[in-house]
Amino acid sequence: MGCDGWNAYLLKKAPESVQRRYWQALKDALRTHDLPEEWKEKVAMLFMKPGEDPCELGRRRDIWLECHGHKLAMWMLGEEYNRAAAETVPTSQAGCTPERGCPEQTLVMRCQKEQCASEKTMCVRGYLDMGTFFMSCTREVQWEVERWCGVKPEVIEVVQALYAGCVGRYETAYGLTETFDIAEGNIQGCNCSPTRSKYQLRLIQETVRKLCQGFRFRGASKSCCQLWFCDDGAFLTQDLHTMQLVMDTCWMVTRVAGLRIQIKKDKKTAWQASTGKGEWRKR
């Protein structure tokens, strides 16, 4: 639950007449932008990740709590965001997409490895992870990419009103912190943030598609350069020179858009290349 303490389960158990009155009031609030002030306050809990140093707060998983009324409002607007994403987000993105998922991306990468093994050619892959992705999205860029992807202007205006003046608090062992302004980011607790954030990743996808040549599967008419699951990307190329171009392209776009690439020194490699005689890794 959010800071207002209201649980949507009460609405689920309420009589139909009450549900309809709430639904009508919610529609009126969205049309007039007369929104409850409680919806502007977000509370975050910081969870430790397995194997991470508990003293390093920046490596904790932030879970943001939203008021249930706000969540219901975004569910109503979510249909428009899902429509625009289905029409514009490239198919190399399988995250937060109906009837899509990680297994299909894993299968493509397995096929690449098997083909390279049978042909005795170099298998080149690159991995990319965006750092604190949802909360690092620049809102000025977000509004522009939503227009670019064809989201209805009136829907964008409602979300702008919902995000205007947002403040946050962190839950600690000593209680809640003082409020602070949340000037940027797609709030992680919002149910539409995964879909809305994919619009910004489209900037990277489209740029890589136009500038970089991917891996050519046997019998395919076009190459496959990238696979995405939300903000985790995997890139397939024919050689190391092209992989360097892919990484440089991603870095350039993220710098322009105000995003950040996360460097994990002891976990993921930046790229991986292997042949039948050996394997090279670069961090």
Side-chain angles (χ1 to χ4, degrees):
M1 292 187 293
C3 64
D4 61 356
W6 182 72
N7 195 324
Y9 185 75
L10 298 175
L11 183 64
K12 179 180 179 180
K13 292 298 183 179
E16 183 178 346
S17 59
V18 175
Q19 294 177 350
R20 289 187 176 277
R21 289 179 62 185
Y22 183 89
W23 174 58
Q24 189 61 50
L26 191 56
K27 290 195 297 181
D28 292 340
L30 296 178
R31 291 193 183 103
T32 61
H33 299 178
D34 184 15
L35 305 166
E37 285 300 316
E38 290 81 1
W39 290 6
K40 303 296 181 70
E41 183 176 318
K42 322 293 180 180
V43 177
M45 298 183 294
L46 299 177
F47 290 90
M48 287 188 296
K49 300 177 182 178
E52 296 285 357
D53 184 355
C55 297
E56 191 174 348
L57 295 180
R59 294 295 306 142
R60 294 198 179 196
R61 175 75 66 188
D62 54 328
I63 304 298
W64 292 82
L65 304 180
E66 292 272 12
C67 295
H68 285 193
H70 183 283
K71 282 184 171 289
L72 292 175
M74 293 304 297
W75 274 117
M76 293 170 65
L77 301 174
E79 191 67 26
E80 171 61 14
Y81 281 111
N82 291 336
R83 178 202 61 79
E87 295 177 358
T88 60
V89 173
T91 54
S92 57
Q93 173 64 266
C96 303
T97 304
E99 301 181 0
R100 302 282 305 277
C102 290
E104 64 179 84
Q105 312 291 50
T106 304
L107 177 61
V108 174
M109 297 182 70
R110 184 65 188 182
C111 290
Q112 180 213 18
K113 185 175 182 179
E114 292 297 331
Q115 179 173 322
C116 292
S118 65
E119 297 177 349
K120 293 182 171 54
T121 56
M122 183 178 292
C123 180
V124 185
R125 297 174 181 172
Y127 305 96
L128 180 145
D129 184 18
M130 309 301 293
T132 321
F133 179 54
F134 289 173
M135 298 300 291
S136 66
C137 291
T138 303
R139 289 188 188 162
E140 184 178 358
V141 176
Q142 183 66 40
W143 309 135
E144 291 301 323
V145 295
E146 289 185 9
R147 296 185 185 97
W148 176 44
C149 292
V151 179
K152 294 180 180 179
E154 54 268 29
V155 173
I156 298 176
E157 291 172 1
V158 173
V159 178
Q160 287 176 327
L162 286 168
Y163 273 57
C166 280
V167 297
R169 293 175 184 265
Y170 282 108
E171 183 182 70
T172 72
Y174 305 99
L176 294 174
T177 66
E178 297 294 327
T179 59
F180 54 87
D181 294 334
I182 305 178
E184 302 295 346
N186 296 326
I187 306 300
Q188 184 132 1
C190 177
N191 39 277
C192 284
S193 288
T195 301
R196 296 177 61 236
S197 298
K198 289 193 296 185
Y199 299 151
Q200 294 218 25
L201 292 174
R202 184 190 171 196
L203 294 171
I204 303 176
Q205 292 174 272
E206 296 286 6
T207 308
V208 170
R209 179 182 63 83
K210 293 179 180 179
L211 299 181
C212 306
Q213 183 72 22
F215 182 82
R216 181 65 64 86
F217 285 95
R218 190 182 306 151
S221 59
K222 296 182 180 180
S223 64
C224 175
C225 187
Q226 55 190 328
L227 304 168
W228 289 84
F229 188 83
C230 297
D231 62 323
D232 293 304
F235 304 93
L236 319 176
T237 63
Q238 298 286 155
D239 51 60
L240 293 176
H241 302 291
T242 308
M243 180 57 66
Q244 184 65 59
L245 176 61
V246 170
M247 291 299 173
D248 290 344
T249 302
C250 292
W251 180 86
M252 177 189 67
V253 178
T254 54
R255 291 285 291 178
V256 172
L259 300 173
R260 182 169 64 90
I261 296 177
Q262 184 169 341
I263 305 298
K264 297 182 178 179
K265 296 180 180 179
D266 300 323
K267 291 193 175 181
K268 289 185 179 179
T269 56
W271 57 258
Q272 174 182 319
S274 62
T275 66
K277 296 181 179 180
E279 183 173 288
W280 301 269
R281 295 178 186 268
K282 180 179 179 181
R283 295 191 182 277

